[in-house]
Amino acid sequence: NAGVTQTPKFQVLKTGQSMTLQCAQDMNHNSMYWYRQDPGMGLRLIYYSASEGTTDKGEVPNGYNVSRLNKREFSLRLESAAPSQTSVYFCASSEIGTGVETQYFGPGTRLLVL
Amino acid sequence: QKEVEQNSGPLSVPEGAIASLNCTYSDRGSQSFFWYRQYSGKSPELIMSIYSNGDKEDGRFTAQLNKASQYVSLLIRDSQPSDSATYLCAVIPPGNAGNMLTFGGGTRLMVKP
């Protein structure tokens, strides 16, 4: 049982390049989330998917797109990377509607945009 | 006004002391509150959740919730150097069908031997 996995762990991009961050969970959770974490800012929600087939914007969606590929996988795409997107990206999953609202986080992807 | 506020610290306490971490939130209708611990370079992990006014204890950790004053706190008794980390307060605001968390900026705790 790996929990939430993310790839890659580290990435360096040049301004304007594109990339996709991958996330998968094996806990059979319905809900998945993408956050970014910048120094002193806590975690800010980029996009979330309450269930397979649905996605919604969070607090900071500009410059990102997401795909809920299936129940297990939720990817985050940067179409044209900008230095302001340098951050640590965390994927999380949870099960809602059961009274257990714990979110489980992946190990993170550290992204540097030059 | 930020929805969830925390003092960024660092909060420095000697080993064996009680560490007190505080968090205030702006949305009065919030019902679910969480404390996550994050070691440097690692991902957040849940250590406490609280939903009702009062205290909730789990080992050396006690979460306290006061909805009237809109604050939630975390007490760590007998603090150990291994407790040194950033502690993130998180809230689920009302009308939130997607279980989305709003995080504070975190408080860095340093426990000195």
Side-chain angles (χ1 to χ4, degrees), chain B residues 42-97:
Chain B
K42 301 295 185 182
S43 57
E45 57 177 329
L46 181 72
I47 53 172
M48 291 287 287
S49 59
I50 187 166
Y51 305 98
S52 305
N53 276 331
D55 295 359
K56 179 181 177 183
E57 188 174 317
D58 184 0
R60 296 186 296 111
F61 298 97
T62 299
Q64 299 175 317
L65 175 60
N66 184 323
K67 290 184 179 179
S69 299
Q70 295 176 237
Y71 82 78
V72 58
S73 62
L74 179 70
L75 300 178
I76 306 175
R77 289 181 300 281
D78 188 24
S79 295
Q80 301 297 309
S82 59
D83 295 324
S84 297
T86 296
Y87 289 80
L88 301 167
C89 173
V91 172
I92 297 182
N96 185 332

Side-chain angles (χ1 to χ4, degrees), chain B residues 3 27 29-32 91-96 100-102:
Chain B
E3 293 182 42
D27 203 321
S30 299
Q31 296 294 326
S32 304
V91 172
I92 297 182
N96 185 332
M100 293 178 287
L101 291 171
T102 299

Side-chain angles (χ1 to χ4, degrees), chain A residues 30-73:
Chain A
N30 282 317
S31 301
M32 297 185 73
Y33 312 83
W34 275 106
Y35 294 91
R36 61 177 289 174
Q37 186 173 35
D38 303 297
M41 298 289 290
L43 289 110
R44 292 182 292 169
L45 184 67
I46 305 171
Y47 270 94
Y48 72 100
S49 171
S51 61
E52 187 178 355
T54 68
T55 60
D56 282 288
K57 295 178 181 178
E59 181 185 354
V60 288
N62 291 344
Y64 306 95
N65 284 302
V66 290
S67 295
R68 184 74 183 266
L69 304 170
N70 48 54
K71 191 171 185 179
R72 289 187 64 248
E73 297 172 289

